[in-house]
Amino acid sequence: MSALRYVSTRGRAPAASLSDAIAAGLAPDGGLYVPEQLPTIDPSAFDPKGDLAATAATLLAPFFAGDALADALPAICAEAFTFDAPLRPLARPDALVLELFHGPTAAFKDFGARFLAACLRRLRGEDARALTILVATSGDTGAAVGAAFHGQPGVRVAILYPDGRVSPRQAHQLGSFGGNVQALRVAGSFDDCQRMVKAALNDGDLQRDVPLSSANSISLGRLLPQMGYYAHAALGWWRMHGTPLDFIVPTGNLGNALACLWARAMGLPIGEVRLACNANTTLPEFFAGGDYRPRDAVATIANAMDVGAPSNFERLRWTWRGNDDALRRDLHAESLDDAAIRTTLLRHAREHGGVVCPHTATALALLDREPVRQGRAWCVVATAHPAKFETVLEPLLGQPVPVPPPLAAMLDRPAQAEPLAPDEATLDRWLRARSG
Ligand SMILES: *Cc1c(COP(=O)(O)O)cnc(C)c1O
């Protein structure tokens, strides 16, 4: 098979191999890497008895064909997908929950972070200089990336997070690694953190002195594996019921939802896809017919989705070949404010005895608006374990949220973060001062 090439969404960077695209993070023209074209795959190509790692390896094989990492793909998937993504029934007969929070840091970000780490471990080879992984986080990415790279020789991780805008437990997790993983609390928003990381990655001078890579959802090494759990869930449903599975995805930076849409575009049995957003309305306004207008993020109780300028929007537009009308026909996004999220959390706890995280609640709120159907099912994507958001949930529900053991272990460790001003020059100085 000839190797798939990867190009920039902005079209002004040379085509790259998958390995190079993963190592670089961002394309040199500031765009995001995408495959020259999305491969397709027949659902019958998957082993019906295969586990999640096997499904991911089959799904991703065409992306890796001909690349230096191709032979290692099954091993990479086995290292990344060491925990399950179970589908559980909801109280109504036409709905399920896909639980993506059974990894070490209790959010779906563990899948992508572990896959990226497994790729970079193999790509680093003999380079003697330490590689610095930069990651901007709205709460969960940083911990997942920190956990995935913690203790790995030759790699340092710098996590930038918006000070005061992540949950206390998220902040504790971010600062709890020590060693090669440093947390930086930025006096600004997630979008500031993301802008600073992008500027550093685009700065050729800095890159010559401090080898940098990114672990944000702009990295293909995180985006591609996220398709795995959508494929696995949809195939399982389709084999039993013969219908595609419809998804409602809590959305911030559009990484998780884009993975779902790419899996659908490849030919997997995925039907409708709905985006559930919090009070950050950039996407809902676009899908309601408005212009795409990135703006500052507003803080909400679903903080990991506090994004006003979703970076993967460039990839979304690329996927629809720049045809915004077609994009608006094929996809919907809705905004839920904090009051609606709280109402849904309470109702869900009362009616189902279940506690979900505030992000998952945005998706449940959209499900609530749908009439019960015959023969088709909605799959609500549960993006994090509720115990990460106890300061929102416990006062509301009046009961403690049990903490899963890996999260409890992380919370037992001391935590530390350095303050950082929200500008590119400060990050540049910080990186140079700590390199070498
Ligand atoms: C990151 C995150 C989201 C948003 O995912 P995107 O890929 O940025 O759209 C939603 N919920 C939780 C818990 C998250 O950590």
Side-chain angles (χ1 to χ4, degrees):
M1 226 185 298
S2 72
L4 190 56
R5 307 285 290 169
Y6 292 80
V7 295
S8 165
T9 46
R10 299 194 185 167
R12 292 187 298 272
S17 69
L18 178 63
S19 287
D20 289 344
I22 288 177
L26 198 65
D29 63 354
L32 279 63
Y33 278 114
V34 289
E36 258 171 350
Q37 60 197 43
L38 275 178
T40 56
I41 192 162
D42 195 283
S44 65
F46 294 87
D47 176 2
K49 295 194 193 63
D51 60 8
L52 179 55
T55 299
T58 303
L59 178 74
L60 297 180
F63 291 92
F64 279 68
D67 188 76
L69 287 174
D71 290 345
L73 178 62
I76 291 170
C77 290
E79 277 168 44
F81 292 86
T82 49
F83 46 90
D84 229 1
L87 263 181
R88 302 208 193 281
L90 271 171
R92 52 188 276 181
D94 66 337
L96 305 150
V97 179
L98 178 63
E99 291 184 353
L100 300 181
F101 51 71
H102 295 285
T105 68
F108 79 87
K109 306 295 201 306
D110 282 322
F111 288 107
R114 291 167 63 84
F115 189 92
L116 175 66
C119 289
L120 289 180
R121 254 197 296 285
R122 290 166 171 85
L123 289 177
R124 287 224 359 100
E126 300 303 305
D127 192 340
R129 294 193 305 167
L131 178 70
T132 301
I133 310 264
L134 280 180
V135 53
T137 184
S138 56
D140 291 322
T141 287
V145 171
F149 287 96
H150 190 216
Q152 187 170 316
V155 177
R156 292 185 324 161
V157 177
I159 303 168
L160 283 75
Y161 72 90
D163 198 5
R165 300 207 196 173
V166 304
S167 85
R169 279 187 181 162
Q170 284 176 319
H172 192 101
Q173 265 191 320
L174 294 171
S176 73
F177 296 102
N180 64 329
V181 180
Q182 173 71 51
L184 299 168
R185 48 187 177 87
V186 174
S189 68
F190 169 68
D191 293 309
D192 291 322
C193 298
Q194 186 152 265
R195 195 196 64 241
M196 291 162 73
V197 166
K198 275 193 176 179
L201 291 167
N202 272 330
D203 183 337
D205 280 348
L206 176 61
Q207 286 264 17
R208 261 187 297 284
D209 298 336
V210 186
L212 296 174
S213 188
S214 147
N216 273 92
S217 61
I218 52 180
S219 168
L220 271 181
R222 281 191 44 204
L223 182 62
L224 296 178
Q226 290 175 173
M227 291 192 287
Y229 43 75
Y230 289 107
H232 198 64
L235 286 165
W237 176 266
W238 172 75
R239 286 187 195 113
M240 279 203 303
H241 300 92
T243 54
L245 192 55
D246 301 321
F247 285 90
I248 307 178
V249 188
T251 298
N253 222 4
L254 262 172
N256 202 9
L258 190 71
C260 182
L261 293 163
W262 277 15
R264 178 172 82 176
M266 287 181 74
L268 281 138
I270 293 169
E272 273 188 66
V273 178
R274 299 269 170 91
L275 310 180
C277 300
N278 59 22
N280 288 280
T281 53
T282 305
L283 292 171
E285 283 177 17
F286 169 81
F287 281 99
D291 289 336
Y292 177 70
R293 205 165 53 78
R295 67 203 70 176
D296 288 344
V298 299
T300 76
I301 58 169
N303 66 284
M305 291 156 45
D306 291 350
V307 181
S311 24
N312 278 300
F313 191 74
E314 278 189 48
R315 282 198 176 109
L316 190 68
R317 268 193 166 146
W318 170 86
T319 308
W320 267 262
R321 302 284 167 223
N323 186 341
D324 286 352
D325 292 332
L327 175 54
R328 289 191 186 96
R329 272 197 305 277
D330 291 350
L331 194 60
H332 299 277
E334 281 187 58
S335 171
L336 287 305
D337 63 13
D338 281 357
I341 296 172
R342 285 200 174 88
T343 305
T344 306
L345 286 167
L346 272 172
R347 194 197 48 71
H348 189 72
R350 218 173 24 241
E351 291 174 13
H352 312 296
V355 181
V356 296
C357 88
H359 314 82
T360 306
T362 63
L364 281 175
L366 287 198
L367 175 69
D368 284 348
R369 298 178 184 174
E370 297 295 326
V372 174
R373 303 178 301 177
Q374 299 288 327
R376 287 287 283 262
W378 289 106
C379 180
V380 167
V381 177
T383 47
H385 192 284
K388 288 186 111 169
F389 306 95
E390 91 288 2
T391 52
V392 172
L393 296 174
E394 290 181 355
L396 185 68
L397 305 175
Q399 65 186 63
V401 182
V403 181
L407 181 57
M410 219 168 264
L411 295 174
D412 273 346
R413 296 210 291 262
Q416 196 208 357
E418 257 184 70
L420 201 74
D423 62 78
E424 287 85 341
T426 309
L427 180 60
D428 182 289
R429 277 196 301 278
W430 189 91
L431 288 166
R432 287 176 188 280
R434 275 154 195 81
S435 74

